[in-house]
Amino acid sequence: MKYDYLVVGAGLFGAVFAHEAKKRGKTCLVVEKRNHIGGNIYCEEIHGIQVHRYGAHIFHTSDRKIWEYANQFAEFNHYINAPIARYKGELYNLPFNMNTFSKMWGIATPEEARERIRAQIADLGITEPENLEEQALSLVGRDVYEKLVKGYTEKQWGRDCRELPPFIIRRLPLRFTYDNNYFNDRFQGIPVGGYTKIVEKLLEGTEVRLNTDYLEHREELNSLAEKIIYTGMIDRFYGYCLGVLEYRSLRFETEELETDNYQGNAVVNYTEREVPYTRIIEHKHFEFGQQPVTIISREYPCEWKKGDEPYYPINDEKNNALYERYRELAGKEGRVIFGGRLGGYRYYDMDKVIAAALELCSVELGA
């Protein structure tokens, strides 16, 4: 055996594990089927703009230890996530807050906003929501739902809200303050120079092989290491022998524009169903860029099929039950440890990815 660990996937989870293993004197080989490191947080620099190739990623956490850990590898700026929603030419602040309600109803006080929402909910008389539409209406009333929830959600899931189960929206936060900060976490920002530099530093001194699909070279690669850290799709690892886990996917259309400022904000959501994309990302605003050109990406949700990039696991009852069956198989593996969003079939924010990787390191590598 040439290496202590074979790490499958050069995303954040695999990179953190490889970094910590190297610190403890272990050798790792990292293999990645894409032609770049970084997984979905990969940033490509174009005209001095860090382009988030797989959608907007804003680092946020309330865990000081995770924040300090990430800051070892990058300087973070003071970016605050404050997306705008656009509905038929009207602009609203997100998350739903007093700026949103003031624009929507011409009111000024929290009590006026509460009363408007209470009245709309009471008029609907929904007691036991039977689908996502009824669930959302019972939480925020008709105006907020129709303008800011319905179309966006239907595009995200590719289904009418009346065909979606209510559990998808367990809560819709309403803020009765004039605060456009989307996250409540204490620490927030974007790494200066993009996320790819963080992963480069994490993998410094570790051998990485790009354009290498582990499952196509499994026997050869397994012979090189004592243990395998696998961050790919758990069902694909087992040849889909129990069935296929479902995901939603995304498609991006990215273009360069000859203007210094296209939309005035990093993220603008398009909440009407008739507009086919869910949002436009203007990447330069993540780092307060002053370049004479700009780069935007339109984000289109789409059905996932084998071969597509899986973005969001569909964690409904059927898929969760199937994942549990795969997890039972994984528990019987002697050399293979599954991790990350695809290995664990769950969506992780970046801070949770780091925390999960460090927890594995603690168990596997010791303090």
Side-chain angles (χ1 to χ4, degrees):
M1 296 290 182
K2 187 177 178 183
Y3 305 93
D4 295 305
Y5 291 95
L6 171 69
V7 179
V8 180
L12 191 55
F13 188 97
V16 168
F17 183 89
H19 177 79
E20 293 300 314
K22 183 175 182 294
K23 277 168 55 177
R24 291 163 173 80
K26 305 293 185 182
T27 55
C28 291
L29 168 63
V30 178
V31 297
E32 168 58 55
K33 70 177 182 178
R34 293 175 178 173
N35 63 359
H36 60 75
I37 61 171
N40 283 2
I41 64 171
Y42 171 69
C43 293
E44 179 184 7
E45 185 169 323
I46 303 175
H47 300 308
I49 299 168
Q50 294 297 327
V51 177
H52 296 211
R53 276 297 177 194
Y54 301 94
H57 286 83
I58 296 92
F59 195 92
H60 59 98
T61 186
S62 292
D63 189 325
R64 180 181 289 277
K65 288 183 180 178
I66 298 299
W67 178 246
E68 290 174 350
Y69 185 87
N71 274 261
Q72 295 177 90
F73 309 103
E75 175 189 354
F76 281 74
N77 66 20
H78 60 281
Y79 177 84
I80 298 295
N81 190 31
I84 300 292
R86 181 166 177 164
Y87 176 79
K88 297 184 177 179
E90 301 170 358
L91 297 176
Y92 296 96
N93 291 102
L94 297 176
F96 313 137
N97 68 73
M98 284 303 299
N99 288 309
T100 319
F101 309 142
S102 178
K103 174 72 178 288
M104 191 171 287
W105 298 314
I107 53 90
T109 69
E111 187 50 40
E112 288 176 293
R114 285 194 179 96
E115 182 50 41
R116 187 70 68 113
I117 292 166
R118 274 196 300 261
Q120 290 191 8
I121 292 172
D123 286 345
L124 293 164
I126 298 168
T127 53
E128 292 291 331
E130 295 184 359
N131 53 52
L132 185 146
E133 176 164 289
E134 291 184 358
Q135 173 78 355
L137 285 168
S138 70
L139 291 170
V140 297
R142 185 167 298 283
D143 290 348
V144 173
Y145 169 72
E146 293 285 352
K147 292 190 174 186
L148 303 179
V149 177
K150 178 178 167 62
Y152 190 91
T153 304
E154 290 180 343
K155 288 187 286 188
Q156 281 283 57
W157 291 95
R159 306 279 187 282
D160 188 285
C161 283
R162 288 165 293 190
E163 298 171 6
L164 292 166
F167 76 82
I168 290 175
I169 294 182
R170 290 189 172 89
R171 56 191 293 269
L172 284 169
L174 298 170
R175 285 191 197 161
F176 296 96
T177 58
Y178 289 90
D179 179 7
N180 297 325
N181 184 355
Y182 194 83
F183 300 119
N184 291 315
D185 290 310
R186 182 174 180 185
F187 307 107
Q188 182 176 174
I190 302 283
V192 176
Y195 288 99
T196 306
K197 291 184 178 180
I198 291 179
V199 182
E200 285 174 351
K201 288 187 178 179
L202 284 165
L203 293 174
E204 216 167 65
T206 296
E207 184 180 347
V208 179
R209 298 183 190 176
L210 301 176
N211 301 302
T212 302
D213 189 327
Y214 163 75
L215 294 177
E216 291 180 4
H217 307 277
R218 188 186 320 214
E219 191 173 331
E220 171 199 344
L221 291 169
N222 282 355
S223 71
L224 299 177
E226 296 285 347
K227 281 191 168 183
I228 296 101
I229 308 297
Y230 181 81
T231 69
M233 297 166 62
I234 190 170
D235 53 347
R236 184 170 177 248
F237 180 90
Y238 288 106
Y240 307 105
C241 66
L242 301 175
V244 178
L245 291 167
E246 295 177 301
Y247 293 85
R248 290 290 290 168
S249 192
L250 295 172
R251 178 174 63 84
F252 298 94
E253 288 182 358
T254 298
E255 63 176 311
E256 179 183 325
L257 302 174
E258 295 297 322
T259 178
D260 66 337
N261 190 357
Y262 174 73
Q263 63 184 16
N265 205 51
V267 180
V268 176
N269 291 355
Y270 285 74
T271 60
E272 59 200 273
R273 180 75 185 260
E274 294 71 23
V275 176
Y277 43 86
T278 49
R279 58 183 179 174
I280 295 179
I281 302 161
E282 187 168 9
H283 302 271
K284 70 189 301 179
H285 294 307
F286 290 127
E287 294 194 53
F288 316 106
Q290 300 297 312
Q291 296 85 355
V293 298
T294 195
I295 296 170
I296 65 168
S297 296
R298 293 179 178 87
E299 186 173 306
Y300 296 81
C302 52
E303 294 287 343
W304 175 85
K305 61 185 184 300
K306 288 182 185 177
D308 293 343
E309 179 59 35
Y311 280 88
Y312 303 109
I314 300 177
N315 289 120
D316 58 14
E317 189 175 339
K318 178 187 75 170
N319 282 289
N320 287 343
L322 178 57
Y323 167 68
E324 285 302 318
R325 293 173 65 200
Y326 277 116
R327 196 164 71 90
E328 286 177 19
L329 286 181
K332 298 172 185 173
E333 296 285 343
R335 298 172 58 201
V336 185
I337 299 167
F338 294 80
R341 65 185 178 91
L342 301 180
Y345 194 64
R346 59 178 293 190
Y347 181 80
Y348 281 108
D349 286 329
M350 285 177 283
D351 64 324
K352 303 300 189 297
V353 172
I354 293 173
L358 291 176
E359 183 179 348
L360 173 60
C361 291
S362 178
V363 172
E364 181 67 21
L365 304 169

